[in-house]
Amino acid sequence: MIQKIYADNAATTKLDEEALEAMLPYLQMQYGNASQPYLFASAAREALNAARKTIADCINADPSEIFFTSGGSESDNWAVKGAYFSNRKNIVTSSIEHHAILNSVQYLEKFGCSAKYLPVNTLGVVLPQTLYNNLDDADGIVSIMYANNEIGTIEPIKELAEIAHKQGCLFHTDAVQAVGHVVIDVCDLGVDMLSASAHKFNGPKGIGFLYKKTGVEIDNYIHGGAQEHGYRAGTENIAAIVGMATALKNNMKNIHVNQATLKELDNYLMQELSVSGLQYIRNGNPDNRLPGNISLSFNGADGETLLHRLDLKGISVSTGAACDSVNTQISHVLSAISLDREYAEGTIRISLGKENTFDDVKYIVAALTNILKRH
Ligand SMILES: *Cc1c(COP(=O)(O)O)cnc(C)c1O
């Protein structure tokens, strides 16, 4: 029998049962438009307000600072484009950001924005000193991700935000991999904007939010009606918003247990791997990274082939490289941490989640050993 093991939780996660339950009324009976003043729409309106409050409480924000979007990509696009079109100043980001940031910044370069892509060290850390050395008066916004999706490294956001502010810049963080997985307090972090996406924390797909601190002015990204305090147009997706709030609340309720369990699974995987006799490098920062985000590079292996062989054994993981039929392209993140090509090409990312068990981990390592020892 082929086992089904889902180990790609950094790509997306399974919808929380309670979140699904909470969504159902708004997909059917409670279909009122939250912007309408009559009584029938009040259930939608109240659900919207309650969800905004729940989410704000989870990250120590005020409800008026939470803006619903279609997901992480939109939040990222809005933050950097909104800031640029509002202040016309330059952008500083890192070389390991998600493409939602990198491609948005690249697009802004067409409008005369000048961008700096900061290097990282071999662990994937944006050093505060590097930011400090690279900032100047022409810069208007710094955008550095909270945790990297490919290698799990957590960035020193608080220090980075402080440096950005000293230079008079706004600070945005793409926290899509972190929200719902680590404790986030936007006041303590000192960030001006933060992006999140529900489907990365057991919420539904196609919904996310941007935290925008009171007083921070950026241009609108989606123009139209007056929804989201006039900052983001479009009839609200109440069901998805309610699902996102429920999923986040549930994840945060058990955050310390969830983190500890993931850490144990992570340790167990590494322990099994070390007795397997396989030669590998684990990428990322061992001192500060997302538990369960395991980027492994096998010298001389081919990540794409490895992914397909694991798939045949019922295991879903992802590669650290994007392939076309001819060339293996090393991901921008693995290039940025200066990983040798022979290792980078043989990279896979295992990302464990709430559903995974010790048996899953044992099976994954056994499958890896079987595939790599044969080869
Ligand atoms: C998944 C992801 C995104 C994109 O989020 P979507 O909701 O899928 O658009 C952005 N940034 C990071 C770091 C991600 O992991």
Side-chain angles (χ1 to χ4, degrees):
M1 189 194 76
I2 291 185
Q3 294 198 39
K4 265 265 150 274
I5 295 176
Y6 183 75
D8 198 19
N9 288 276
T12 196
T13 56
K14 186 178 174 188
L15 183 62
D16 179 274
E17 285 290 338
E18 241 180 87
L20 172 63
E21 289 293 317
M23 290 169 74
L24 292 176
Y26 303 97
L27 286 167
Q28 200 179 29
M29 302 306 283
Q30 298 293 354
Y31 55 85
N33 184 325
S35 299
Q36 295 300 71
Y38 41 73
L39 208 57
F40 177 58
S42 63
R45 202 161 43 246
E46 280 161 22
L48 180 64
N49 293 339
R52 204 186 301 282
K53 168 94 170 70
T54 300
I55 288 171
D57 287 347
C58 286
I59 62 168
N60 194 26
D62 188 82
S64 64
E65 299 173 316
I66 304 297
F67 299 85
F68 296 122
T69 66
S70 64
S73 297
E74 186 188 323
S75 297
D76 284 348
N77 272 261
W78 184 13
V80 294
K81 291 178 187 173
Y84 179 70
F85 287 121
S86 167
N87 64 29
R88 298 281 168 174
K89 295 183 89 180
N90 295 334
I91 299 181
V92 179
T93 187
S94 85
S95 51
I96 62 163
E97 297 298 310
H98 189 274
H99 283 111
I101 290 291
L102 291 177
N103 291 345
S104 293
V105 173
Q106 212 175 44
Y107 172 77
L108 290 172
E109 290 184 85
K110 289 206 280 195
F111 293 84
C113 171
S114 145
K116 282 175 254 187
Y117 302 88
L118 301 180
V120 293
N121 70 11
T122 55
L123 306 178
V125 181
V126 178
L127 297 173
Q129 189 66 40
T130 306
L131 176 61
Y132 182 83
N133 293 344
N134 278 282
L135 278 178
D136 62 55
D137 293 340
D139 297 322
I141 180 170
V142 176
S143 179
I144 308 285
M145 69 201 321
Y146 191 105
N148 183 267
N149 46 306
E150 283 188 39
I151 59 174
T153 295
I154 295 175
E155 302 298 341
I157 295 303
K158 196 172 169 170
E159 288 98 309
L160 294 168
E162 210 172 290
I163 291 165
H165 288 152
K166 279 203 182 120
Q167 190 63 44
C169 290
L170 289 174
F171 189 89
H172 165 257
T173 187
D174 171 348
V176 172
Q177 287 291 328
V179 172
H181 302 286
V182 301
V183 176
I184 298 222
D185 177 329
V186 287
C187 296
D188 179 59
L189 280 177
V191 297
D192 299 298
M193 291 184 277
L194 174 145
S195 302
S197 176
H199 75 97
K200 301 288 176 77
F201 55 79
N202 307 97
K205 291 168 180 61
I207 189 76
F209 66 87
L210 180 71
Y211 157 79
K212 185 172 72 64
K213 190 178 169 177
T214 303
V216 169
E217 286 301 326
I218 61 170
D219 276 15
N220 281 14
Y221 182 57
I222 304 288
H223 300 266
Q227 291 91 352
E228 299 302 291
H229 327 297
Y231 278 97
R232 197 277 187 185
T235 303
E236 302 88 347
N237 185 345
I238 305 296
I241 289 167
V242 166
M244 169 162 70
T246 309
L248 185 57
K249 190 180 71 189
N250 281 350
N251 270 22
M252 294 317 289
K253 201 165 64 192
N254 303 315
I255 187 93
H256 297 293
V257 175
N258 290 347
Q259 273 183 322
T261 309
L262 266 186
K263 186 90 185 88
E264 276 177 35
L265 284 173
D266 188 316
N267 288 344
Y268 182 59
L269 192 145
M270 297 316 289
Q271 194 186 313
E272 287 286 293
L273 205 56
S274 75
V275 299
S276 74
L278 292 173
Q279 294 298 308
Y280 64 89
I281 291 176
R282 180 171 179 181
N283 305 303
N285 185 1
D287 297 325
N288 198 12
R289 69 173 150 219
L290 297 171
N293 183 311
I294 305 169
S295 168
L296 301 172
S297 298
F298 299 96
N299 191 3
D302 176 56
E304 197 79 358
T305 306
L306 203 47
L307 181 149
H308 291 306
R309 292 243 177 108
L310 288 167
D311 193 21
L312 289 174
K313 292 174 183 287
I315 301 169
S316 310
V317 300
S318 78
T319 60
C323 287
D324 55 44
S325 51
V326 189
N327 294 307
T328 299
Q329 277 158 15
I330 305 304
S331 88
H332 64 291
V333 176
L334 300 180
S335 299
I337 60 170
S338 311
L339 189 63
D340 285 344
R341 191 172 183 92
E342 304 77 68
Y343 275 98
E345 285 179 351
T347 301
I348 56 163
R349 178 193 65 192
I350 299 166
S351 48
L352 303 171
K354 290 208 287 198
E355 307 280 321
N356 291 117
T357 63
F358 286 89
D359 279 348
D360 288 355
V361 166
K362 203 177 174 74
Y363 184 79
I364 293 170
V365 178
L368 272 174
T369 310
N370 181 278
I371 293 163
L372 289 164
K373 284 250 169 92
R374 248 196 303 154
H375 141 115

